[in-house]
Amino acid sequence: METFYCFSDICKNIKNDMYEEIKINCGDVIEPYSFITAIFIFIVAIIKLIFKQNIFNFTLLFLGFTSIWHHSRLYTWWINDYIKYLDNLAVILISIVGFFTLNNKKLWFLFLCYGFFIFSIIAVDLVPCIYVPPLHATTHIGIILVSIFDSCYKN
């Protein structure tokens, strides 16, 4: 059974499984920024895999796939189900794999700190619902840029 949540002050105490109620109380809270950037992660991973098959690029492809699946559900932000947990697993995997395979470890560490910061301020409800998708999308853009930059970086 899926559990739906929306954590902004406007949206608290809503029965989040009812789309119309969310729309009435929060407006169109889920813009497709994270979904679109997840598609870009997937495309970048495919392009990178064409040129170099390695564990990081396969993990990036897995992350792109799970993110597309997770962020394609635009009716509410927080959905606690196996798709979300699979996406979280992909994030954990790529975080670990990146440390062992990428050339620029300092950049990877900075990106992970940024991603953890964004996750933290969203999790403790410091960001209103309407800003969560574009803010989260910046982490997708970050992993795309780090991935591309690292392909060109030599120690």
Side-chain angles (χ1 to χ4, degrees):
M1 173 124 196
E2 294 180 343
T3 307
F4 304 122
Y5 299 100
C6 181
F7 282 82
S8 83
D9 291 334
I10 300 169
C11 302
K12 282 186 177 159
N13 300 320
I14 302 176
K15 295 177 183 172
N16 287 319
D17 57 341
M18 300 176 69
Y19 173 76
E20 290 303 320
E21 190 171 349
I22 293 171
K23 195 169 181 178
I24 290 167
N25 289 302
C26 299
D28 292 321
V29 294
I30 307 303
E31 295 292 332
Y33 302 114
S34 296
F35 177 62
I36 292 167
T37 54
I39 293 169
F40 286 134
I41 291 172
F42 190 76
I43 291 169
V44 167
I46 289 173
I47 292 169
K48 288 187 70 164
L49 279 168
I50 289 169
F51 294 102
K52 187 172 185 179
Q53 293 82 36
N54 62 26
I55 189 71
F56 180 81
N57 292 340
F58 280 110
T59 310
L60 188 65
L61 184 70
F62 178 61
L63 176 67
F65 173 75
T66 60
S67 290
I68 289 170
W69 195 9
H70 175 61
H71 293 299
S72 66
R73 302 166 305 161
L74 300 173
Y75 45 89
T76 188
W77 183 255
W78 292 97
I79 304 172
N80 288 322
D81 63 357
Y82 70 94
I83 299 169
K84 175 187 174 184
Y85 299 127
L86 193 61
D87 193 39
N88 290 345
L89 175 65
V91 170
I92 292 166
L93 281 175
I94 202 157
S95 298
I96 295 167
V97 169
F99 265 122
F100 292 105
T101 61
L102 294 180
N103 296 314
N104 194 332
K105 305 229 185 296
K106 291 177 187 175
L107 181 62
W108 186 245
F109 180 75
L110 287 174
F111 169 72
L112 290 180
C113 289
Y114 173 76
F116 182 76
F117 172 74
I118 295 301
F119 170 78
S120 298
I121 64 172
I122 291 171
V124 297
D125 200 23
L126 293 177
V127 180
C129 256
I130 59 171
Y131 300 117
V132 170
L135 188 60
H136 178 76
T138 64
T139 62
H140 290 186
I141 293 167
I143 200 162
I144 291 166
L145 294 175
V146 169
S147 172
I148 292 170
F149 176 76
D150 195 75
S151 297
C152 303
Y153 183 83
K154 302 290 181 216
N155 283 335

